[in-house]
Amino acid sequence: MSILLQAKNISKSFGNKQALKNVSFEISKGAPVALVGPNGAGKTTLFSILCGYLAPSSGQVELFSRAPNHSSNLSRLGALPQDAQLDPRFAINHQLKFYAQLQGLSRKNAQIEAERVLELVQLSDVLNEKPLSLSHGMRKRVAIAQALIGSPELILLDEATAGLDPLHAREVRSLVANLADETTFILSSHDLNELERLCEQVLFLENGVLQQHQTSNTENSTHCYTLRMAHEQPNIGGALQSISADIKVTKISNKEYVITAPASGLNLSIDVEVLKLCHQNNWHYKQLINGKTLEDKLFS
Amino acid sequence: MQQSVKRVGCLAQFEITRLCLTKSGVLSLLAFATAWLIILYYPVNYAVEWVYSDSLKDIARDIFGAFGISELLNWPVPEIAMYWLIALFLYPIFAIIISSDQTCADRARGTLRFITLRASRTEIIYGRFLGQVLILTGLIALTLIASVIIAVMRDSSLISVAFSLSFFVFFELVIVILPFIALMSFFNSFSNSSRKSIIYVGLFYGLLPMIFALLESYVGQLSYLYYIFPGIQLSNIINPTDIELSFHLLPLIQMLVLLVLSQFLMKRTSI
């Protein structure tokens, strides 16, 4: 699989504060990648370094095997920087067309491309509006549209759904899912459910240190299921354990359990047995998740 | 390379659009037009009276002589001579004001982040610089044409000599303003507002000469240091007969040095 992005021992300091400490990872072409971490963890700094807006204090970033600012990388990377705004003095169409023309499109094709990307974020009707006449959420979606111009190979979205209403956040998620076959996305968000649905690879930053770098394939020796109940059931722990002596049931909360089973050698389909158990006892379950939730992976 | 030139052209074109299609751009143009209307109507229009009227001729000769610019009174088209005298000192100021926001507002707003994904920082510097050069060149051409029209309306036989003088004035003025625009590119490479860029210009022309004078008091004559100031040659070129090649080379070298410095700084600045 081709490597799109490689970060080698990146550190970044602002005065005495070290925002990133020896961060190393690589991202290959494929499913979306999540960048997770608490506020002040260094996510935006990392994004800025990956996009070439900031230079690292030490370490090296290679984007498509070159430095991020290398001219051969122009237009291959799309980005939604967290606080960047479009020029309030020009109509959205004018600005998107300008960006498309900078990417080498003719005036006519730039117009078509501007309309296409606005259509993708369901904002075709604001083509001739100026950014200040739009709501915060709409401006965010226009900025996402800007990142999609020219279908770049890699798109970095920093807090893409922050500030969007649930309907439009869902539309952005489905947009990312639909485009994921042709474009690799790196998404930063505080919404772990969102990232869980979209991403297979997770970069977890905390205090500037990359704590975990995992993919969905990391759980090899055991297999996990997460059961979320609609209501609290007093005897469910014991009942789940009764499915097999080889499984381990962990209570995460009053309504959530993680069932860990050996990946091989068990003649039972644990998920089927769990569903049977719920059905027999007339227990209402909310979700049965194949694996641990991202939240459990990162914080338990 | 071809793509790079295309991007520089695209950025320059956007600069022109920015001046013509935005409220702040149109207001600047209106202020500029008003100032030039006054200049064209009074000093340029009445220049001929100064030169040909018996009562004012001697006064004009005395004043111009005192400043060492009596050569201008011999120009066959006094309107263009007056235009030259005023434009030579006004256009550098216009250049500083009009080109004070090349990248700084975009940097403050974050728009520069969108642009740097599509154009290199070097292309942005040169594209914006080229855009400003085209804008100011256009303004010089327009005001110069207006001066020629005033002269020709007075005496239509002056048309050919007025145009040939205009070409000379146009060429000289364009060379004069280039380093001023480059100076603003330089200050824009680290400033985040046009107001700050203009303050930097004030400090550049106000503080540096004082520092140089102080240095000179310790180490002796350092006159070559003053060559860093765009416009240092202006007083030497008022009399067109005094113009030497070095007065053309100096602003061009200043422009190149300032653009290379802008490029260097822009590449290293966080955006």
Side-chain angles (χ1 to χ4, degrees):
Chain A
M1 210 181 288
S2 62
I3 294 171
L4 302 181
L5 183 64
Q6 207 167 15
K8 294 174 195 163
N9 300 315
I10 304 176
S11 295
K12 179 71 187 174
S13 301
F14 297 101
N16 292 329
K17 190 181 182 301
Q18 196 165 14
L20 292 175
K21 297 167 196 163
N22 283 323
V23 173
S24 297
F25 62 90
E26 56 182 45
I27 288 167
S28 302
K29 188 172 162 54
V33 178
L35 179 59
V36 192
N39 290 333
K43 299 189 297 293
T44 299
T45 304
L46 182 58
F47 256 86
S48 297
I49 290 172
L50 298 182
C51 290
Y53 303 146
L54 275 180
S57 305
S58 63
Q60 200 186 349
V61 179
E62 281 188 5
L63 185 65
F64 306 109
S65 309
R66 306 265 190 174
N69 282 327
H70 195 272
S71 59
S72 64
N73 287 339
L74 292 173
S75 309
R76 295 181 76 185
L77 171 75
L80 169 74
Q82 202 177 38
D83 297 320
Q85 290 168 26
L86 291 169
D87 194 329
R89 296 167 296 180
F90 291 101
I92 283 151
N93 183 40
H94 195 91
Q95 298 189 62
L96 296 184
K97 246 171 71 179
F98 167 58
Y99 295 148
Q101 281 180 282
L102 277 181
Q103 288 183 223
L105 272 69
S106 67
R107 194 180 286 262
K108 190 182 164 196
N109 287 337
Q111 177 64 46
I112 295 168
E113 184 65 2
E115 289 171 17
R116 182 188 75 87
V117 292
L118 278 179
E119 172 77 42
L120 285 174
V121 293
Q122 321 273 321
L123 281 176
S124 298
D125 49 339
V126 303
L127 194 67
N128 295 312
E129 301 282 340
K130 287 185 179 170
L132 286 182
S133 67
L134 306 181
S135 69
H136 172 76
M138 287 164 103
R139 286 205 290 268
K140 188 75 164 265
R141 282 152 63 205
V142 172
I144 294 172
Q146 145 311 118
L148 302 172
I149 293 173
S151 306
E153 293 159 63
L154 179 65
I155 297 180
L156 278 68
L157 301 177
D158 195 1
E159 304 278 357
T161 54
L164 296 189
D165 58 66
L167 175 70
H168 290 116
R170 188 172 167 234
E171 277 168 5
V172 169
R173 281 195 291 271
S174 70
L175 176 69
V176 170
N178 292 338
L179 297 176
D181 288 339
E182 55 201 70
T183 299
T184 303
F185 285 87
I186 303 179
L187 309 164
S188 103
S189 174
H190 289 295
D191 185 345
L192 295 182
N193 288 330
E194 169 178 294
L195 296 176
E196 185 161 38
R197 269 183 261 179
L198 291 169
C199 306
E200 284 187 9
Q201 189 181 347
V202 177
L203 303 171
F204 179 53
L205 268 179
E206 196 172 23
N207 293 325
V209 179
L210 189 64
Q211 299 286 4
Q212 289 186 50
H213 177 202
Q214 54 177 287
T215 63
S216 56
N217 305 321
T218 49
E219 300 157 66
N220 290 327
S221 58
T222 56
H223 199 96
C224 288
Y225 296 93
T226 303
L227 178 67
R228 279 190 186 145
M229 302 302 293
H231 309 289
E232 192 180 338
Q233 298 294 340
N235 304 320
I236 191 168
L240 287 170
Q241 188 60 69
S242 69
I243 293 173
S244 167
D246 293 332
I247 65 169
K248 186 185 163 203
V249 179
T250 313
K251 186 177 179 180
I252 303 295
S253 70
N254 286 340
K255 295 182 195 171
E256 191 170 316
Y257 297 84
V258 170
I259 303 135
T260 312
S264 57
L266 205 66
N267 294 326
L268 286 168
S269 296
I270 298 297
D271 46 356
V272 176
E273 295 303 319
V274 169
L275 290 176
K276 270 188 198 167
L277 194 68
C278 289
H279 181 69
Q280 282 160 8
N281 291 289
N282 204 21
W283 291 334
H284 292 284
Y285 69 91
K286 244 184 178 174
Q287 278 180 305
L288 179 62
I289 299 163
N290 196 347
K292 276 186 180 177
T293 62
L294 186 56
E295 194 178 309
D296 288 336
K297 278 183 202 167
L298 297 176
F299 302 116
S300 66
Chain B
M1 183 65 187
Q2 197 189 347
Q3 275 302 315
S4 188
V5 171
K6 206 176 156 188
R7 283 194 289 266
V8 169
C10 195
L11 285 157
Q13 197 187 346
F14 198 79
E15 276 303 274
I16 298 167
T17 320
R18 200 151 64 125
L19 185 76
C20 302
L21 290 189
T22 64
K23 201 159 82 180
S24 58
V26 171
L27 278 175
S28 317
L29 277 181
L30 273 176
F32 176 87
T34 310
W36 270 102
L37 201 68
I38 295 166
I39 293 165
L40 291 171
Y41 190 75
Y42 292 106
V44 173
N45 196 21
Y46 289 103
V48 68
E49 281 185 33
W50 282 52
V51 178
Y52 295 128
S53 128
D54 287 336
S55 54
L56 294 171
K57 195 169 148 181
D58 292 336
I59 301 171
R61 200 156 288 281
D62 286 346
I63 296 171
F64 278 49
F67 288 102
I69 51 175
S70 52
E71 173 68 25
L72 288 181
L73 294 171
N74 299 328
W75 281 28
V77 189
E79 288 88 349
I80 304 290
M82 187 56 83
Y83 173 93
W84 164 247
L85 189 61
I86 296 168
L88 189 61
F89 292 95
L90 267 190
Y91 265 107
I93 299 169
F94 283 136
I96 287 170
I97 295 169
I98 289 176
S99 60
S100 62
D101 177 14
Q102 294 180 37
T103 52
C104 50
D106 280 347
R107 175 181 292 107
R109 202 189 303 113
T111 317
L112 208 52
R113 293 184 161 200
F114 297 141
I115 300 172
T116 50
L117 296 172
R118 297 158 170 106
S120 71
R121 297 185 187 202
T122 304
E123 287 162 0
I124 294 169
I125 286 278
Y126 287 99
R128 294 277 162 99
F129 171 78
L130 180 64
Q132 296 299 333
V133 170
L134 292 174
I135 288 167
L136 279 149
T137 305
L139 294 175
I140 292 171
L142 282 176
T143 50
L144 204 44
I145 288 168
S147 304
V148 171
I149 290 171
I150 291 171
V152 171
M153 278 169 67
R154 179 176 59 81
D155 182 354
S156 57
S157 66
L158 291 173
I159 189 156
S160 63
V161 67
F163 267 112
S164 70
L165 269 177
S166 298
F167 284 123
F168 159 78
V169 169
F170 177 77
F171 173 74
E172 292 298 333
L173 282 178
V174 170
I175 288 185
V176 163
I177 58 157
L178 289 175
F180 287 96
I181 303 172
L183 182 70
M184 297 319 285
S185 304
F186 172 72
F187 287 129
N188 265 254
S189 58
F190 53 86
S191 164
N192 57 10
S193 79
S194 60
R195 194 174 298 175
K196 263 191 195 165
S197 307
I198 292 174
I199 291 171
Y200 289 141
V201 175
L203 294 174
F204 179 72
Y205 279 99
L207 274 184
L208 275 186
M210 283 197 258
I211 294 169
F212 292 167
L214 201 68
L215 272 176
E216 281 182 322
S217 68
Y218 286 106
V219 294
Q221 194 77 359
L222 294 170
S223 53
Y224 55 87
L225 280 180
Y226 293 87
Y227 288 123
I228 68 162
F229 294 108
I232 191 80
Q233 83 290 8
L234 288 188
S235 56
N236 300 102
I237 62 168
I238 301 177
N239 268 331
T241 47
D242 297 341
I243 296 178
E244 296 167 12
L245 179 67
S246 61
F247 297 138
H248 288 151
L249 283 178
L250 180 64
L252 293 176
I253 292 168
Q254 287 171 332
M255 176 197 76
L256 283 176
V257 170
L258 284 165
L259 285 175
V260 169
L261 282 175
S262 314
Q263 190 183 334
F264 178 82
L265 277 178
M266 183 78 166
K267 276 188 174 172
R268 279 154 187 78
T269 314
S270 304
I271 54 168

